[in-house]
Structure formats: structure tokens, C-alpha cells
Amino acid sequence: MTEIKETKAQRVERLKREKNAWEHLDEIREFARNGHGSIPPEWLGTYFRSWGIYTQGDGQGVVGGKGGEGKATQFFMVRIRVPNGILSSRQVREVAAMSEEYGRGVADITVRQNFQLHWVTIEAIPDLLARLRDLGLSTKGACGDVARNVTGCPVAGLDAREIIDASPLTLGIDRALGGQNEFYNLPRKFKLSATGCASWCTYPEINDVAFTAARRRRNGAEEIGFHVRIGGGLSTEPHLAVRLNAFIPTEQIVPVARGVAEIFRASQVLRESRGRARLKYLFLKNGWTADTFLEELQRQIGFALDPAGEEDVPADIHRDHLGINAQKQPGLYYVGASVLRGRITPAQLRRAAELADEFGDGKLRATAQQNLIIVNIPEKHAETVANELTRAGLPVQTSAFARGTVACTGSEFCKLALTETKGFARWLSNELEERLPGFDQQIKLHITGCSNSCGQHWIADVGIEGKKVKAEGKMVDAYYFCVGGSLGEIASIARPVGYRCPATEVPDAVERLVVNYQANRNAQESLRKFLARHSNEEIRAVLAGEVVAPVERDLAVGAVPSGVEG
């Protein structure tokens, strides 16, 4: 009889049915006692991910591996879940200490308000998990086919422009879904956000479920509730979330979030292929619409939702809360510092914690733009805090290029990446600052090391995607350009323009584009509107400095693994 071989999707689904890894911490402790060689493949490839633990690459990325995935080392990337990005100075100090003790002093702030450590050994993991538990933090659900860290406005309850403080709702969703056994086995990753922020700083357009505050008038009085968007996501097939025709009172937010999670969990069609298992594929491949999803959601939750009202869609592309900003509390300010490429040192973390204690009330926030904020600072100390952060290498005032730069993990640690991104991002930003001093327009420059878009290049003005090309007989890092991505008022997915160049030539290409924009834009025209009114051929010629034939954008080698992005 011919043996029927499991597909990758079938194998992962079987493993998840057989074991909830959250109930088997004892096995992780046993691996720590017996060493890395004792870890079975199903833990390395599947079960560790739901614990926020991901095997670390060998520094070569996908090169040298097979099946679209590079070689793993005996070290791990460990992601720490930080709901709504809310942190205390004690927690920040301990993350700094763990980074030094377990991770060779390397820590990243991710695009989902998490911390990520690298170089962690299996022997260190039980102690690391125990220390996090004592801090009120966890790694559970930071990766894997589960509800990921629930993101929220980092200055919720403080921002003078916010519609409502949504942090209690964000934390409520996190308690209901995050690390809960009933939502252990979802088809794939499941990203949620809730915000009352007027600038939509959590990027609701690219979450699976996203609640944004809205106002309506009813019986002559104003009410505040939420609108909901469903099915956003990037990766190799980007899709902007669709808004349902529903107005959701605050008390219904958690039930609605649960209802969407239950629909996702029950979807068998999304379990047939790992590459098409995200919620967005109900819309992309299975014929669902906003109306049909709303009908199913109302059946699932057992009550009807009122129709949606008007909403104010933000026009500003920067949603980062950087700089010195007045809070709604009289006399208090928050100070947002830029963490270029999200890479932060233990010394910088400790200094931020010290400043939060000395001049504030010991509270900090991580942002979805990979930055850090100190809150509740009396007005008389705000400038001092800003100056001290800048002195520590966390500038409060930055160039347009540093402010808009986002970078994924890259081949330094990720097995899927083709290119190194973190060091490249710093070099590129520095090059552009030197070449284009004084450029003060909003620009988002996102760098991702492969086609999986962990660096979110699909929503950037200039998004560059890692490739390899041959130069002088050697394979070198290169980047493929996509332009015109944006969220908010003119939301659109960046379009591939057919230009690719070695990494060393990227500053030249971006410089040519910016100079051309400055010389030829209409009055008060933003970069995204400028890009929108030029064809791919025109943009490609500007990037290359001459008319060139388009280059095809090659896709990922294999199915996109689960759990890479922050």
C-alpha cells in the first residue's frame, strides 16, 4: 500500500491537536536539564512558538538552508508579550538584565509592542520564564497559531487628543484571548488591536481584528463606541482590513473579539494550507464580504450590532507619538524617543527606567513603531528628560529618515531572511541624513529582509524587500523597491515598480527619488500623492537614474512559517 505523506499543514494541525504546549512547561524544564540535543523536532518547529520562542538562524538567513528556511543554531529568539505596550521601570530594568544575562546584550522592540531577546539557550529558558512571571510578564502567545500580543495606543489615558482611553478594553481582550487554552489551536497567527487614539497608532488597517473609537449621536446625546475592521494582514499577499457596518459599545468589545476568534478557530478551510491560513483569506480566496462576515459574527455572538456611523480617518502618516507632548492631565507631559530599527541596549533601557523614576512615576510605554515613551513627566522636567534620552542615544527629535525607518529582524537572527536589515537600516538612515540635510517631509522607509513583510514594507512610501543578486561573481544583498504604500485617509498597498539594486546602491536610488520629488512636486503635495500620480515606469527610471526594463519580483521559496514578525 502506498504511504500517504502528510502535508505541512496536516502535520502542524495534528501536532496542535495532540498537545497544548502551554500545559507542558515540565518538558521545557526537562530539555533545559538535558541540553539542546534532547529537544525533539516537534518542539523546535511547532510547540516552542506558542511559548514565544523561535529558533535562531545562523546569521546566513535562508542561504544554505532548504525548503525556504535557513539553518537553525542552538540559540533561540524569545519574545516577551507586553499588552498595550504598558511597562513599569522595574520591568524595563529586568528586561535589560535578562538581555545581558541570557541574550548577549541584544534586545529589540518589535512592531507589536513586544520585547525580543536573542542568543537565549535552552538552559536559560526556565529561569527566564520564571523571572518574567514574577514581573507580571509572559512569553505565552507571542508567537504561534494563537492570539498574539494585543496592541493599543501607548499613551492611552494620557493623550490630549484621544477619543477614549481604550487600554482597559485592550487589556480585557488580552485577558480573554491571550494565553487562554480555548484559543490555543487557531489556524494561524491572530492579531488584534484596540485604540481610542485619533491617529490610529496601532495600524488597525493591517490587524486581523481592530477596534477604533468612534462617536455617534443617539437620542440627542453623543455616544462613544467603536468601529471594527476585519482581515488585515501583509506578508506575501497584503490585504487591508475591511470595516464592518457595526457600531460597538464598549461593553460589547470583548464579546465581539471572542466571536471573531471563534469564527477563525472554526474555519476548516483555513487549516488546509499554511500559506493561506490567515483570516484575510476568507476575503481573498473564499468569497466572504464585510456583509457576510457581519452576519456570521452576529450569529456567533448572539446579538445584533447597530450600524456604523461616520468616522474620522487620520491623514497624518506618522502615528508614533514622538517628541515632547502635553497630556490631558494638566501640567504633565510624555516624551517619545526614537529607537532606530528597534534595537536597544541594556544601558539605554536602564537609563530610560532611571529617568522614568526620577522625573515621572516609573511608567513607560513601547510603541508599534519600535519606539519608547516615558509618561507622566511634570512640565518643568520634560526638556531635561528629552535631553537625557538623546544623550543616551534615544533621540527625541530626529531626521525625517530616522523617524520613518522600520526594519525587521533580518538575516542576523532570522532563518527566513535573505538580507541583513538592522545594521543596514542604520547605515541607510545616516547616508540619507548626510546627503539630504534639512529634508522635513513625512517619509516612511521600511526594510524587510525577505518577501514576508515583517518590516511592513507594503505600507511604506518606500518599501524595500530583501533579495540576492550576483555581483563580481558573488551573491550579495540586494533590495527590490515597492512604493506608494500608506494607511489612513489614502490607504493603499505599495506597488512593486520593477527596480532592484545591490544594497550598496539603495541610498543612491532613494536620494534620486527624494530629489525628484522636491523638484517636481505640486504645491503642498505629499510624497504619497506624488508617488500616486506617477507610473511605475516613471518611478523606476527615477530610482535607477535612467530608463531600465522592469525586473520581476520573485516570491518566497516556500510557505511562510508562523510566528516571525513581532
Side-chain angles (χ1 to χ4, degrees):
M1 178 181 285
T2 303
E3 181 181 355
I4 300 175
K5 186 177 180 181
E6 284 182 311
T7 65
K8 183 174 182 179
Q10 289 169 338
R11 180 176 184 274
V12 173
E13 289 300 316
R14 173 177 58 80
L15 289 173
K16 290 187 295 180
R17 288 193 303 269
E18 290 174 353
K19 180 183 292 185
N20 177 350
W22 291 335
E23 297 176 341
H24 294 273
L25 181 58
D26 56 327
E27 291 190 46
I28 297 178
R29 295 188 181 112
E30 189 70 17
F31 301 148
R33 286 191 289 269
N34 296 327
H36 192 276
S38 69
I39 307 173
E42 59 266 27
W43 270 91
L44 291 172
T46 300
Y47 293 136
F48 268 138
R49 293 178 182 179
S50 60
W51 275 99
I53 299 167
Y54 199 83
T55 51
Q56 181 171 302
D58 63 358
Q60 300 301 309
V62 74
V63 177
K66 59 182 180 179
E69 193 164 322
K71 295 178 181 178
T73 67
Q74 294 192 355
F75 299 98
F76 296 92
M77 300 188 291
V78 178
R79 192 171 296 150
I80 302 166
R81 188 183 183 107
V82 185
N84 209 114
I86 297 173
L87 293 157
S88 69
S89 58
R90 176 172 174 256
Q91 289 171 330
V92 170
R93 283 192 180 88
E94 279 296 292
V95 170
M98 287 185 280
S99 171
E100 283 183 330
E101 294 172 37
Y102 305 132
R104 300 187 184 181
V106 178
D108 294 328
I109 301 174
T110 78
V111 293
R112 292 201 66 79
Q113 297 176 289
N114 296 307
F115 280 116
Q116 185 166 282
L117 306 182
H118 302 276
W119 297 110
V120 181
T121 64
I122 186 60
E123 291 80 5
I125 285 176
D127 287 342
L128 186 153
L129 296 179
R131 288 173 68 174
L132 289 173
R133 185 175 61 248
D134 291 343
L135 287 170
L137 296 173
S138 175
T139 66
K140 285 175 66 175
C143 300
D145 297 350
V146 296
R148 298 295 183 85
N149 189 46
V150 184
T151 58
C153 176
V155 288
L158 311 174
D159 181 19
R161 294 177 57 242
E162 74 178 359
I163 298 170
I164 188 175
D165 176 6
S167 59
L169 303 174
T170 304
L171 299 177
I173 296 169
D174 194 74
R175 286 191 297 271
L177 304 181
Q180 298 300 316
N181 287 341
E182 63 181 308
F183 296 107
Y184 171 77
N185 180 10
L186 299 177
R188 280 295 294 270
K189 68 193 84 169
F190 187 56
K191 301 178 184 177
L192 304 100
S193 77
T195 184
C197 174
S199 64
W200 292 9
C201 64
T202 59
Y203 293 163
E205 301 97 329
I206 58 171
N207 276 262
D208 291 287
V209 188
F211 299 96
T212 53
R215 295 183 174 95
R216 72 172 178 182
R217 295 200 68 80
R218 193 175 191 185
N219 299 324
E222 183 180 80
E223 292 182 356
I224 294 176
F226 289 81
H227 291 160
V228 62
R229 282 171 166 76
I230 303 291
L234 298 178
S235 193
T236 54
E237 294 185 84
H239 181 254
L240 296 178
V242 299
R243 191 182 75 150
L244 304 189
N245 184 20
F247 184 91
I248 306 169
T250 56
E251 66 271 14
Q252 295 178 351
I253 293 294
V254 174
V256 168
R258 284 183 60 91
V260 179
E262 288 162 354
I263 292 171
F264 186 42
R265 184 182 60 193
S267 179
Q268 292 304 309
V269 70
L270 295 181
R271 296 182 186 271
E272 295 172 358
S273 166
R274 294 293 290 169
R276 292 183 174 178
R278 292 289 299 280
L279 191 63
K280 67 182 179 181
Y281 285 103
L282 291 179
F283 300 94
L284 284 172
K285 302 295 181 182
N286 292 284
W288 287 50
T289 65
D291 289 340
T292 57
F293 197 100
L294 179 58
E295 290 173 7
E296 181 60 27
L297 176 59
Q298 290 178 138
R299 279 194 292 270
Q300 187 68 41
I301 61 180
F303 55 87
L305 297 168
D306 288 345
E310 298 295 321
E311 68 177 357
D312 294 323
V313 180
D316 197 332
I317 69 160
H318 284 310
R319 306 177 175 187
D320 50 25
H321 299 293
L322 288 184
I324 299 174
N325 301 275
Q327 296 180 188
K328 64 171 62 175
Q329 294 80 12
L332 294 181
Y333 282 69
Y334 66 84
V335 179
S338 175
V339 184
L340 182 62
R341 71 226 170 103
R343 179 64 49 82
I344 193 165
T345 68
Q348 288 171 327
L349 288 168
R350 288 196 182 94
R351 185 58 181 142
E354 289 170 357
L355 293 169
D357 283 337
E358 183 177 355
F359 298 105
D361 60 354
K363 294 179 181 177
L364 304 93
R365 304 286 187 268
T367 83
Q369 292 74 34
Q370 302 179 299
N371 296 320
L372 196 64
I373 299 173
I374 300 177
V375 304
N376 295 326
I377 302 165
E379 180 178 5
K380 63 181 179 181
H381 297 311
E383 286 285 352
T384 299
V385 170
N387 292 336
E388 289 299 313
L389 285 168
T390 300
R391 192 170 291 117
L394 300 171
V396 172
Q397 299 296 329
T398 66
S399 73
F401 302 110
R403 183 176 184 180
T405 296
V406 168
C408 73
T409 297
S411 61
E412 181 183 10
F413 299 117
C414 179
K415 297 178 299 179
L416 311 177
L418 285 161
T419 60
E420 190 281 326
T421 58
K422 294 291 190 182
F424 175 77
R426 179 178 289 280
W427 172 74
L428 176 60
S429 177
N430 289 343
E431 281 287 315
L432 294 172
E433 288 169 359
E434 290 181 11
R435 297 176 184 211
L436 300 161
F439 179 73
D440 60 357
Q441 301 299 304
Q442 294 185 0
I443 181 171
K444 289 188 71 64
L445 180 58
H446 288 210
I447 303 161
T448 192
C450 69
S451 59
N452 296 329
S453 195
C454 299
Q456 302 176 335
H457 69 294
W458 291 121
I459 58 170
D461 295 306
V462 181
I464 54 175
E465 180 182 288
K467 305 294 179 185
K468 289 289 188 186
V469 297
K470 183 170 284 188
E472 298 180 356
K474 297 180 180 180
M475 297 303 291
V476 299
D477 284 4
Y479 284 94
Y480 185 96
F481 281 73
C482 302
V483 307
S486 186
L487 297 178
E489 191 175 54
I490 53 172
S492 60
I493 296 296
R495 60 185 203 269
V497 295
Y499 181 65
R500 181 185 63 203
C501 66
T504 53
E505 297 177 16
V506 169
D508 297 333
V510 178
E511 180 184 12
R512 284 191 287 264
L513 181 64
V514 171
V515 168
N516 189 278
Y517 160 63
Q518 290 176 311
N520 297 299
R521 65 179 174 173
N522 296 329
Q524 306 302 313
E525 185 176 37
S526 68
L527 177 58
R528 50 228 50 90
K529 289 183 178 179
F530 175 84
L531 294 169
R533 69 177 175 86
H534 285 81
S535 68
N536 290 351
E537 291 73 20
E538 290 170 328
I539 297 297
R540 184 169 64 247
V542 171
L543 290 167
E546 59 182 337
V547 176
V548 294
V551 174
E552 288 295 320
R553 174 182 165 261
D554 52 308
L555 300 179
V557 176
V560 183
S562 171
V564 182
E565 80 302 319

